[in-house]
Amino acid sequence: MDEEQRARRWFLAVWAIVTVVKIAIAARLPLFVDEAFYWQEGRHLAAAYSDLPGLTAWLTRLGTDIGGHQVLAVRAPFLLMAALLPWLVARSAAHWFGAAVGWQAALLVVLMPLSGTLGLLALPDVPMALATVLCADAGARLLREVDAMSATELAIGLMLGALSHYRFIGVIGVGLLALLWLPEGRKVLRDPRVWVALAVGVLAWAPLLAWNLEYADAGLRFQLLDRHPWSFHGDGFRFVVVQAAMATPLLFWAMLVVCLRGIRSDGSADTAWRYFALLGAVSTLGFFVLGFFADNERVSFHWPLPGYLALLVVVPLLLREWSPARRRATWGLAALGAVLMLGYYVAVSLPGLRLQVAGSKYYPENFAGWSALATEVRDVQAALPEGTVLLADNFKTGAELGFALGEADIPVLDHPLNRKHGRAPQLQLWGLHHDGARDAPTLLVVGATDVKFSALLAHYQQLCRIVGPLPPPRVVNIDHGARRFLLFALPAEREQGECITPVVANIDVPAAGARVDRRFRVGGWAVKDVVGVAKVEVLLDDRVVAVASDAGANEWLRGFLKDASRDPRMPRVQFTAEVDAGAVPAGRHWLGLRVTGGDGSVETWAEQPVEIR
């Protein structure tokens, strides 16, 4: 079997398997928070939005209009685009370097975790990746001969990218730099047909520019200024390490070698080879530098993907220079990376496996708990007066709960998360920014785990200022409290008097995941504004195993809570208890608290795992 046939069969087999697996995962995986908001944008069709151009929202709307209100329908257009992407790479690479290289490049696109998992989530990176490949291929064809077909492909790619993300501006800049770098590229830029294609691409930015002009550049400010510190930070080193992991180490090294060769080439190399290498080099190395100055709080590991897609066109040529053992290791690590990434999404899509990592830093909180929350909300709504308004405390809860309930117009309170993620202007435009005033019974849904723990009490106090005194909440602990929501049934009119906040508590001893003896001590603290805490019960697997006693003052807590607590017992809020777990089997168990306030309200706090010997 010759090289071309072998490469083709491998690609077809792996592409088919991965595509089927991705469809199966996408049908079960709960919506990521951003996906839910894009669905919400799709229910409010517009030319552009505060966070993105319009295409992502339009695609979610198209999917649900055709496939109905379900998770797979939201993702279907993105899965289709992602399935098409390696075929376009194969076409481009085969045109310049032969069919065998084309199939090998396409197989690398399927196996590299960053590109192979595209489409699982309804995110703008999918159409942006497609646009990148179209533009890169068109640019290479124009280097050989400027014709109407290549210029048209360039125009389509530029339009698709402009409608996908602000970040596509970088792809355009990289493409122009690569063309200017090459003598043949400078000749291409003198042809009027290329400028017509560029003009079409510029026009595609018009809706986004118009939105920003109308709304004081809110989107541009967020994308270019507000979300970035623009000061040096050491996380750039971690960014590069993450890239090596997400691309798999040997494949990452191969792409870096191609980058360096593209930059160092003296002009003797094939023009198309140099072009793709330069595209990838300028983009990839540029993002590596940017990683030391740009946003280090939100997910950014996908940023260099456009550069990688250009480099993968050339990487099979480099692999031919490597020893057979090194080539096999590169393909094997890429395949292992694909399996691990797909396995991660399988784990996230299964409630039982999500539960196993509850209480750890690996818990996928942005995927978890929304259907359970929707069930609780429906139960509470059924007992409330007709006409009760549903109100969320932040855009995450509003969008995810909106999708779960089929309601795209859940109003949202002002919240730091709305501004942090650039969604506040859009909520205001939709009239969904709620100031807390009301003239009807209202069910307020608060995401307690959406706030940094040290700021949780201050957040509750801010809610008091916005909506008035809070009634005792219905607590929704999902996965042992790894996701925690509070449901407040607010009366039609704002009440007067002091606001009693929900409990804020912590178990200091034992630490989460600690190994303990059959008899062990539990120590911690609990505060509740205005009325204080009357009783703390210790729970083990939801059973009361001890009643805590007063353990004295905790002066450190004043600083931790920034002197915000109005608990009348402060600083004597420390508790202790002795637990006898002799009747339970050895192994992993869940330790929690049931806290009774001075007003008689009872709240169950989040649990943490302990290993009983």
Side-chain angles (χ1 to χ4, degrees):
M1 185 187 301
D2 63 20
E3 184 183 23
E4 177 186 340
Q5 288 297 316
R6 184 166 58 251
R8 180 175 180 272
R9 291 186 181 182
W10 270 107
F11 166 72
L12 290 175
V14 175
W15 175 84
I17 292 170
V18 169
T19 300
V20 170
V21 170
K22 283 163 66 174
I23 292 171
I25 295 172
R28 293 182 54 89
L29 184 68
L31 283 189
F32 186 69
V33 166
D34 287 346
E35 292 181 281
F37 194 76
Y38 300 146
W39 165 82
Q40 191 174 15
E41 288 180 328
R43 308 318 296 178
H44 301 84
L45 288 176
Y49 301 90
S50 68
D51 55 339
L52 286 178
L55 184 59
T56 303
W58 304 342
L59 291 172
T60 64
R61 178 64 176 267
L62 176 66
T64 51
D65 281 356
I66 295 174
H69 186 78
Q70 54 181 316
V71 170
L72 184 58
V74 172
R75 294 169 173 153
F78 301 86
L79 285 165
L80 182 60
M81 284 184 167
L84 177 62
L85 183 67
W87 290 90
L88 292 178
V89 171
R91 168 179 169 268
S92 182
H95 182 80
W96 301 104
F97 311 116
V101 172
W103 294 122
Q104 289 167 356
L107 181 55
L108 286 173
V109 172
V110 176
L111 291 179
M112 187 176 73
L114 272 176
S115 52
T117 53
L118 279 177
L120 273 174
L121 306 181
L123 300 177
D125 299 275
V126 182
M128 184 173 156
L130 199 64
T132 298
V133 171
L134 288 173
C135 289
D137 180 64
R141 291 173 184 271
L142 289 168
L143 286 172
R144 175 175 290 181
E145 179 185 3
V146 179
D147 57 21
M149 286 296 294
S150 299
T152 300
E153 182 183 15
L154 178 61
I156 293 172
L158 290 172
M159 290 176 61
L160 188 63
L163 295 172
S164 299
H165 203 288
Y166 285 87
R167 213 166 48 245
F168 191 73
I169 296 172
V171 176
I172 296 172
V174 167
L176 287 174
L177 284 174
L179 290 175
L180 289 170
W181 195 307
L182 300 170
E184 299 89 342
R186 294 192 289 273
K187 182 180 177 181
V188 165
L189 291 174
R190 290 195 290 268
D191 193 290
R193 286 169 292 185
V194 174
W195 284 99
V196 170
L198 292 173
V200 172
V202 169
L203 287 175
W205 291 96
L208 195 62
L209 291 172
W211 190 96
N212 278 280
L213 286 172
E214 185 173 357
Y215 299 108
D217 297 326
L220 278 170
R221 284 204 318 274
F222 172 73
Q223 294 290 346
L224 300 180
L225 298 175
D226 296 346
R227 68 176 295 182
H228 301 292
W230 295 125
S231 59
F232 182 84
H233 54 78
D235 283 353
F237 294 107
R238 185 177 63 181
F239 181 80
V240 176
V241 172
V242 169
Q243 290 306 305
M246 296 300 296
T248 66
L250 286 176
L251 183 54
F252 181 72
W253 176 249
M255 290 190 289
L256 287 183
V257 171
V258 171
C259 285
L260 295 176
R261 287 191 183 181
I263 292 173
R264 294 175 179 174
S265 177
D266 58 4
S268 60
D270 178 81
T271 300
W273 190 99
R274 289 189 68 207
Y275 167 73
F276 284 112
L278 284 171
L279 276 183
V282 176
S283 175
T284 302
L285 299 179
F287 276 117
F288 287 177
V289 173
L290 190 64
F292 288 94
F293 300 92
D295 184 358
N296 61 340
E297 294 186 13
R298 301 163 189 81
V299 173
S300 58
F301 61 77
H302 54 291
W303 286 359
L305 178 60
Y308 293 166
L309 292 173
L311 294 172
L312 290 180
V313 173
V314 185
V315 163
L317 295 174
L318 175 68
L319 294 183
R320 291 180 176 182
E321 302 175 10
W322 289 7
S323 67
R326 197 174 179 187
R327 284 200 301 270
R328 285 193 295 270
T330 302
W331 287 104
L333 278 176
L336 178 61
V339 170
L340 290 176
M341 275 301 287
L342 291 172
Y344 166 78
Y345 284 110
V346 169
V348 171
S349 69
L350 299 175
L353 291 179
R354 287 201 303 269
L355 182 60
Q356 294 302 310
V357 294
S360 76
K361 64 180 180 179
Y362 303 108
Y363 181 73
E365 64 175 31
N366 281 324
F367 289 101
W370 303 112
S371 59
L373 174 64
T375 299
E376 294 281 348
V377 168
R378 289 191 188 98
D379 288 347
V380 174
Q381 284 178 317
L384 294 176
E386 186 176 349
T388 295
V389 175
L390 184 59
L391 175 63
D393 74 324
N394 66 68
F395 88 91
K396 288 185 176 184
T397 304
E400 288 279 11
L401 194 54
F403 181 80
L405 298 175
E407 300 179 21
D409 292 303
I410 296 176
V412 174
L413 294 176
D414 184 30
H415 195 286
L417 284 176
N418 303 344
R419 297 184 295 276
K420 179 179 178 181
H421 293 271
R423 271 62 191 264
Q426 195 60 58
L427 293 167
Q428 290 177 334
L429 286 177
W430 290 336
L432 297 182
H433 176 83
H434 198 286
D435 63 3
R438 60 188 185 275
D439 56 9
T442 299
L443 178 60
L444 172 61
V445 183
V446 174
T449 44
D450 289 330
V451 179
K452 188 177 179 180
F453 181 59
S454 61
L456 184 57
L457 180 58
H459 179 60
Y460 290 154
Q461 292 171 346
Q462 176 65 11
L463 286 176
C464 290
R465 288 188 284 271
I466 293 173
V467 302
L470 298 170
R474 175 163 172 170
V475 179
V476 182
N477 284 326
I478 295 165
D479 292 339
H480 300 291
R483 288 291 281 150
R484 196 162 186 269
F485 298 92
L486 305 179
L487 310 185
F488 297 94
L490 302 175
E493 295 183 3
R494 181 181 178 125
E495 295 183 332
Q496 301 301 314
E498 293 189 288
C499 183
I500 301 171
T501 59
V503 167
V504 177
N506 189 62
I507 297 175
D508 300 328
V509 180
R515 293 181 61 84
V516 298
D517 295 324
R518 292 289 172 163
R519 295 184 64 87
F520 62 95
R521 186 179 72 86
V522 175
W525 54 267
V527 299
K528 188 175 179 68
D529 277 3
V530 181
V531 296
V533 169
K535 182 169 65 172
V536 176
E537 297 169 292
V538 179
L539 308 179
L540 192 65
D541 298 332
D542 292 326
R543 292 188 306 107
V544 177
V545 291
V547 177
S549 58
D550 185 353
N554 186 337
E555 293 293 346
W556 169 86
L557 194 57
R558 291 186 187 274
F560 179 74
L561 297 177
K562 300 178 176 59
D563 290 321
S565 176
R566 296 188 295 120
D567 189 309
R569 302 169 304 131
M570 279 293 288
R572 295 189 61 86
V573 295
Q574 202 74 14
F575 64 79
T576 186
E578 293 294 328
V579 173
D580 183 354
V584 302
R588 195 184 201 211
H589 297 271
W590 290 91
L591 185 68
L593 303 173
R594 181 187 296 159
V595 182
T596 302
D599 59 348
S601 62
V602 179
E603 297 176 43
T604 303
W605 189 250
E607 298 171 288
Q608 62 188 52
V610 291
E611 293 286 336
I612 296 180
R613 297 187 179 94

